[in-house]
């Protein structure tokens, strides 16, 4: 169980960041990763500000804007704007440089940036972004990421599946793991969720292992991200 207030905090003025796992100046030996899930940052970026050009390699990087729009440029020649309701993925592979800035000059942007260790090293770098099917998310788990380019959502070099759902108050659902050997990291974006008596609120999280099917009950209108990942 990971309470929202237990996350690491970074205040850079233009950037207000919450770190679910050790990152930057935040270090907690008990919060290094959950399986191959290495980074889950909840960032608020001031208008027109952002991250200048910087390198990555051998990491699968997923960005999900929650509010606002993010301007992206990279060394592969991509230049795009990723908006709330979309998802972006980069396979850094052999190496990539990119920059990310708030595309708006009158309001902050809130985004999730997620890093997963890949199951293949030194792959050719790649980039993709897609619109999320928000209608399908209503009282349902909508797949937004998988290991297969032929499957729904973006794909990465890892045996991981991400789902998002937006649930009404007093509804129930369940999630069945694609691979029972995987773990499930549940991150509550908004609302309130109960999992077998465990109560989670806004920005709380829990990592679940050794379970094939997980039941959910939503005590209020909720938005939740599920990240099913290998544990090794």
């Amino acid at each position: 169980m990971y309470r929202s207030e237990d996350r690491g905090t970074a205040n850079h003025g233009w950037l207000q960041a919450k770190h679910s796992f050790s990152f930057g100046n935040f270090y907690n030996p008990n919060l290094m990763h959950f399986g191959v899930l290495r980074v889950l940052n909840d960032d608020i970026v001031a208008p027109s500000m952002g991250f200048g050009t910087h390198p990555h390699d051998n990491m699968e990087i997923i960005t999900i804007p929650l509010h606002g729009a993010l301007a992206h440029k990279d060394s592969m020649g991509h230049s795009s704007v990723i908006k709330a309701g979309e998802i972006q993925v980069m396979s850094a592979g052999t190496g990539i440089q990119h920059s990310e800035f708030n595309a708006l000059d009158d309001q902050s942007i809130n985004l999730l940036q997620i890093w997963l260790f890949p199951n293949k090293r030194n792959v050719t770098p790649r980039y993709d972004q897609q619109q999320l099917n928000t209608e399908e998310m209503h009282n349902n788990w909508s797949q937004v990421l998988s290991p297969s380019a032929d499957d729904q959502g973006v794909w990465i070099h890892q045996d991981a599946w991400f789902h998002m759902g937006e649930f009404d108050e007093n509804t129930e659902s369940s999630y069945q793991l694609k691979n029972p050997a995987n773990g499930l990291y549940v991150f509550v974006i908004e609302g309130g969720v109960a999992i077998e008596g465990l109560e989670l609120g806004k920005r709380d999280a829990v990592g679940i292992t050794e379970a094939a099917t997980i039941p959910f009950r939503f005590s209020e209108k909720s938005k939740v991200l599920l990240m099913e990942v290998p544990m090794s």
Side-chain angles (χ1 to χ4, degrees), residues 81 99 123 214:
V81 174
S99 64
V123 300
I214 296 94

Side-chain angles (χ1 to χ4, degrees), residues 62-227:
I62 302 100
T63 301
I64 304 175
L66 301 177
H67 301 286
L70 186 73
H72 164 95
K73 291 184 179 180
D74 63 45
S75 54
M76 293 182 288
H78 299 109
S79 179
S80 61
V81 174
I82 309 99
K83 301 176 181 178
E86 296 181 325
I87 184 171
Q88 176 209 67
V89 63
M90 287 195 311
S91 297
T94 55
I96 187 174
Q97 296 196 31
H98 76 137
S99 64
E100 299 167 296
F101 280 83
N102 186 340
L104 307 175
D105 59 10
D106 60 348
Q107 60 181 285
S108 296
I109 178 177
N110 184 198
L111 61 96
L112 301 178
Q113 187 159 105
I114 303 161
W115 297 7
L116 272 67
F117 295 115
N119 57 14
K120 299 177 182 177
R121 290 183 59 83
N122 298 321
V123 300
T124 301
R126 55 176 289 272
Y127 172 91
D128 190 21
Q129 74 181 74
Q130 291 186 17
Q131 182 76 34
L132 299 175
N133 188 340
T134 53
E135 290 185 1
E136 187 182 78
M137 290 181 191
H138 184 230
N139 291 331
N140 182 59
W141 297 115
S142 177
Q143 183 174 292
V144 300
L145 177 147
S146 80
S148 173
D150 298 324
D151 211 347
Q152 183 177 345
V154 296
W155 68 276
I156 62 170
H157 295 283
Q158 186 52 270
D159 297 319
W161 289 263
F162 286 11
H163 290 74
M164 292 181 70
E166 298 180 353
F167 294 87
D168 295 332
E169 181 181 2
N170 295 325
T171 57
E172 296 182 357
S173 184
S174 64
Y175 177 81
Q176 184 170 355
L177 269 70
K178 305 290 186 181
N179 181 348
N182 284 348
L184 187 71
Y185 195 86
V186 180
F187 184 71
V188 182
I189 298 172
E190 301 285 348
V193 182
I195 305 173
E196 295 185 328
L198 182 64
E199 300 283 345
L200 304 177
K202 179 179 179 179
R203 295 320 204 252
D204 288 345
V206 64
I208 300 170
T209 58
E210 299 181 358
T213 304
I214 296 94
F216 296 85
R217 189 178 189 283
F218 303 93
S219 58
E220 57 185 288
K221 188 175 178 64
S222 302
K223 184 174 184 177
V224 179
L225 173 63
L226 303 182
M227 291 167 277

